Amino acid sequence: MWRAVERSAVVGAVLCVASAVLPGQVAVAAPSVPSYAFADDVRSAPAATGTTGAARLEPGATYRSSLQDEEKAYYRLELDGTSNVYVSVTAIPRAGATLSAGDGISVSVQDADSTTCSSDSVTVGTARSPQPLTAWGARELLPGKGLCQKAGTYYVVVEHTGSGSGSGSGGGETDLSAADRLWDLELAPVSESPLAKAAATSVPEAWDSATPTPPGDEPVAVRGGAGFTEAAAVEQGVRSDEIVPGQTLFYKVPVDWGRQLSATVDLGSADKTSGYVVDALDLTLYNPVRATVKETGTGYGGSQKSVSLPPVPPVRYVNRYAPTDPTKSLRFAGSYYLVVHLAAQVAESFGEGPYGLTLRVRLGGSTQAGPGYARQSTPRGFFDVGEPDPEPSAGAGAGSADASGDGPSGGDPAMKAVAVGGIGTGSALLMVLGVWTLTARRRAAAAQMRVNAQNPTA
């Protein structure tokens, strides 16, 4: 389950361009970039340096913590012997931080006997642009898998990867500052119920792998969120947005069983076209538990660019038995995340923007029946596709209610109460205005009658 946010790029011709941005470990002056948006109800989970005293994580809650360089952070899970549990960890380097290509995080889940149940890692990649980095761990109950199958205590272990220092542009070693070494973390554990009855484990080999044509509708303005919990809800169609260098935008798409997601991102042109930034635009698809499905990226030379995710199979429960990703990651229905990042180095060569962004989303396939879970997931309805969230308008801020990404659960009960109260108040106000208008009209009519009586016509 290892991956890195580092794409292969054809740069042979680009290496001859003196102005190409191929940075060493140097700090990048970031434009004004919105900070990562944690969940409104996020809980605190202090990192422990060992298993003793590790904070307990409850599936369905979201936690905020921090990771110090050269330290491991431990968290505890108390698991039953029937559910699959997934834990995503998003690390947030400081905007403008000095990073090396190998800087990142690793995440593993271990049992009480130090057996590793799963592991995943992610690095910032060749662009060295500070951005949210997400890796995940799992305790899965799969037929024929003998490890980590029992109920009991398990641990989530998060570790900073990279040396903490690297070669600067002059070839010397440059130590990271204390601020650059301390990263905020967001942890999101989720529990998946077992099935009510056994299902097939044979993964279909045939699926429509043709590259779909991106939709060409007129774009509808939308404002991408600043984190997973504030991801802007979008459906099939075309959306327009803006992005500044160093910014990461989050969108979520409801994908039901049997549906096949494809996405394209277009980046608008700049005022100048001299120079080149390698690995400038990144597009990553995450599944509902925030595991990476597929990613792609492209460089930028000031002219408009377009990048599309490679075709991926339909969402099916049986995909979990596939040997490799992306098929293996397409195992749940629910909200899939499209995450777009524009490298901070773009500002150095082409200005701070904002740059026009167009997101094109298509859903193929046909909706199929679910696998038949024995009970609800935690959080409830997590692997269901219900009524879509309202799409936030471009005028709404990143922290507005429309971009909160509360999902199909129905929103905050307090806000429902405010809405109901507002409707009641509005109705009462309309009644008062109606009475006032009727009274005014009657008074005017009476006055006119008095005038007519005093000045009779012939």
Side-chain angles (χ1 to χ4, degrees), residues 413-440:
M415 293 307 295
K416 285 185 177 180
V418 171
V420 172
I423 293 171
T425 302
S427 300
L429 180 58
L430 288 174
M431 292 178 64
V432 171
L433 289 173
V435 172
W436 179 86
T437 302
L438 181 59
T439 302

Short mmCIF file of all heavy atoms in Angstrom, two decimals, residues 413-440:
data_model
loop_
_atom_site.label_atom_id
_atom_site.label_comp_id
_atom_site.label_asym_id
_atom_site.label_seq_id
_atom_site.Cartn_x
_atom_site.Cartn_y
_atom_site.Cartn_z
N PRO A 413 -28.59 19.54 13.67
CA PRO A 413 -29.93 19.75 14.22
C PRO A 413 -30.17 21.17 14.67
O PRO A 413 -31.27 21.70 14.55
CB PRO A 413 -29.96 18.78 15.42
CG PRO A 413 -28.97 17.73 15.07
CD PRO A 413 -27.90 18.43 14.31
N ALA A 414 -29.12 21.82 15.20
CA ALA A 414 -29.28 23.21 15.64
C ALA A 414 -29.63 24.11 14.47
O ALA A 414 -30.46 25.00 14.55
CB ALA A 414 -28.01 23.68 16.33
N MET A 415 -28.97 23.87 13.33
CA MET A 415 -29.26 24.68 12.16
C MET A 415 -30.67 24.40 11.64
O MET A 415 -31.35 25.27 11.10
CB MET A 415 -28.24 24.38 11.06
CG MET A 415 -26.82 24.84 11.41
SD MET A 415 -26.75 26.57 11.91
CE MET A 415 -27.24 27.38 10.39
N LYS A 416 -31.13 23.12 11.80
CA LYS A 416 -32.51 22.83 11.42
C LYS A 416 -33.48 23.65 12.26
O LYS A 416 -34.47 24.18 11.76
CB LYS A 416 -32.79 21.34 11.61
CG LYS A 416 -32.18 20.45 10.54
CD LYS A 416 -32.62 19.02 10.76
CE LYS A 416 -32.07 18.12 9.66
NZ LYS A 416 -32.49 16.72 9.88
N ALA A 417 -33.17 23.73 13.55
CA ALA A 417 -34.05 24.49 14.45
C ALA A 417 -34.07 25.96 14.05
O ALA A 417 -35.12 26.61 14.03
CB ALA A 417 -33.57 24.35 15.90
N VAL A 418 -32.90 26.48 13.71
CA VAL A 418 -32.84 27.88 13.26
C VAL A 418 -33.66 28.06 12.00
O VAL A 418 -34.39 29.03 11.84
CB VAL A 418 -31.37 28.29 13.02
CG1 VAL A 418 -31.31 29.65 12.35
CG2 VAL A 418 -30.62 28.32 14.35
N ALA A 419 -33.54 27.09 11.08
CA ALA A 419 -34.28 27.20 9.82
C ALA A 419 -35.78 27.17 10.06
O ALA A 419 -36.54 27.96 9.50
CB ALA A 419 -33.87 26.07 8.87
N VAL A 420 -36.23 26.21 10.92
CA VAL A 420 -37.66 26.13 11.22
C VAL A 420 -38.14 27.39 11.89
O VAL A 420 -39.19 27.94 11.58
CB VAL A 420 -37.94 24.89 12.11
CG1 VAL A 420 -39.38 24.89 12.58
CG2 VAL A 420 -37.64 23.61 11.32
N GLY A 421 -37.32 27.89 12.85
CA GLY A 421 -37.68 29.13 13.52
C GLY A 421 -37.77 30.28 12.55
O GLY A 421 -38.66 31.13 12.63
N GLY A 422 -36.84 30.29 11.59
CA GLY A 422 -36.86 31.37 10.59
C GLY A 422 -38.10 31.31 9.73
O GLY A 422 -38.70 32.33 9.40
N ILE A 423 -38.52 30.08 9.36
CA ILE A 423 -39.73 29.95 8.56
C ILE A 423 -40.94 30.44 9.34
O ILE A 423 -41.80 31.15 8.83
CB ILE A 423 -39.92 28.48 8.12
CG1 ILE A 423 -38.81 28.10 7.15
CG2 ILE A 423 -41.29 28.26 7.49
CD1 ILE A 423 -38.77 26.62 6.83
N GLY A 424 -41.00 30.04 10.63
CA GLY A 424 -42.12 30.48 11.47
C GLY A 424 -42.16 31.98 11.62
O GLY A 424 -43.23 32.61 11.50
N THR A 425 -40.99 32.58 11.86
CA THR A 425 -40.94 34.03 12.01
C THR A 425 -41.35 34.72 10.72
O THR A 425 -42.08 35.72 10.73
CB THR A 425 -39.51 34.45 12.41
OG1 THR A 425 -39.17 33.79 13.61
CG2 THR A 425 -39.42 35.96 12.58
N GLY A 426 -40.89 34.18 9.57
CA GLY A 426 -41.25 34.79 8.29
C GLY A 426 -42.74 34.72 8.04
O GLY A 426 -43.36 35.68 7.55
N SER A 427 -43.38 33.58 8.40
CA SER A 427 -44.82 33.46 8.20
C SER A 427 -45.58 34.47 9.05
O SER A 427 -46.53 35.11 8.60
CB SER A 427 -45.27 32.04 8.55
OG SER A 427 -44.62 31.11 7.72
N ALA A 428 -45.15 34.61 10.32
CA ALA A 428 -45.80 35.57 11.21
C ALA A 428 -45.66 36.99 10.68
O ALA A 428 -46.60 37.80 10.72
CB ALA A 428 -45.21 35.47 12.61
N LEU A 429 -44.47 37.30 10.15
CA LEU A 429 -44.24 38.64 9.61
C LEU A 429 -45.14 38.91 8.42
O LEU A 429 -45.69 40.01 8.27
CB LEU A 429 -42.77 38.78 9.20
CG LEU A 429 -42.35 40.13 8.63
CD1 LEU A 429 -42.63 41.24 9.63
CD2 LEU A 429 -40.89 40.11 8.24
N LEU A 430 -45.32 37.91 7.55
CA LEU A 430 -46.20 38.09 6.40
C LEU A 430 -47.64 38.34 6.83
O LEU A 430 -48.36 39.15 6.24
CB LEU A 430 -46.14 36.85 5.50
CG LEU A 430 -44.84 36.66 4.70
CD1 LEU A 430 -44.85 35.33 3.98
CD2 LEU A 430 -44.66 37.81 3.71
N MET A 431 -48.09 37.64 7.91
CA MET A 431 -49.44 37.85 8.41
C MET A 431 -49.61 39.28 8.92
O MET A 431 -50.61 39.95 8.66
CB MET A 431 -49.74 36.85 9.52
CG MET A 431 -49.86 35.40 9.03
SD MET A 431 -50.14 34.25 10.37
CE MET A 431 -51.75 34.83 10.92
N VAL A 432 -48.62 39.78 9.67
CA VAL A 432 -48.69 41.14 10.20
C VAL A 432 -48.75 42.16 9.07
O VAL A 432 -49.54 43.11 9.08
CB VAL A 432 -47.49 41.42 11.12
CG1 VAL A 432 -47.43 42.90 11.48
CG2 VAL A 432 -47.57 40.56 12.37
N LEU A 433 -47.89 41.94 8.04
CA LEU A 433 -47.89 42.86 6.91
C LEU A 433 -49.24 42.85 6.18
O LEU A 433 -49.73 43.88 5.73
CB LEU A 433 -46.78 42.48 5.93
CG LEU A 433 -45.35 42.76 6.40
CD1 LEU A 433 -44.34 42.18 5.43
CD2 LEU A 433 -45.13 44.26 6.57
N GLY A 434 -49.85 41.64 6.08
CA GLY A 434 -51.15 41.55 5.43
C GLY A 434 -52.22 42.34 6.18
O GLY A 434 -53.01 43.07 5.58
N VAL A 435 -52.25 42.18 7.51
CA VAL A 435 -53.22 42.92 8.33
C VAL A 435 -52.99 44.41 8.21
O VAL A 435 -53.91 45.21 8.07
CB VAL A 435 -53.13 42.45 9.80
CG1 VAL A 435 -53.99 43.33 10.69
CG2 VAL A 435 -53.57 40.99 9.91
N TRP A 436 -51.70 44.81 8.27
CA TRP A 436 -51.36 46.25 8.18
C TRP A 436 -51.82 46.82 6.85
O TRP A 436 -52.39 47.92 6.77
CB TRP A 436 -49.87 46.42 8.35
CG TRP A 436 -49.43 47.86 8.25
CD1 TRP A 436 -49.38 48.79 9.21
CD2 TRP A 436 -48.95 48.50 7.05
NE1 TRP A 436 -48.93 49.97 8.73
CE2 TRP A 436 -48.66 49.84 7.41
CE3 TRP A 436 -48.75 48.08 5.74
CZ2 TRP A 436 -48.17 50.74 6.49
CZ3 TRP A 436 -48.26 48.98 4.82
CH2 TRP A 436 -47.97 50.30 5.19
N THR A 437 -51.61 46.06 5.75
CA THR A 437 -51.99 46.54 4.42
C THR A 437 -53.50 46.68 4.31
O THR A 437 -54.03 47.67 3.78
CB THR A 437 -51.48 45.57 3.34
OG1 THR A 437 -50.07 45.47 3.45
CG2 THR A 437 -51.86 46.05 1.93
N LEU A 438 -54.24 45.67 4.83
CA LEU A 438 -55.70 45.73 4.76
C LEU A 438 -56.25 46.90 5.56
O LEU A 438 -57.13 47.63 5.12
CB LEU A 438 -56.28 44.41 5.30
CG LEU A 438 -57.81 44.28 5.29
CD1 LEU A 438 -58.35 44.44 3.87
CD2 LEU A 438 -58.24 42.95 5.89
N THR A 439 -55.67 47.13 6.76
CA THR A 439 -56.11 48.25 7.60
C THR A 439 -55.86 49.59 6.91
O THR A 439 -56.70 50.50 6.92
CB THR A 439 -55.37 48.22 8.95
OG1 THR A 439 -55.65 46.96 9.57
CG2 THR A 439 -55.83 49.35 9.85
N ALA A 440 -54.69 49.72 6.29
CA ALA A 440 -54.34 50.97 5.61
C ALA A 440 -55.30 51.25 4.46
O ALA A 440 -55.73 52.38 4.23
CB ALA A 440 -52.90 50.90 5.10
#
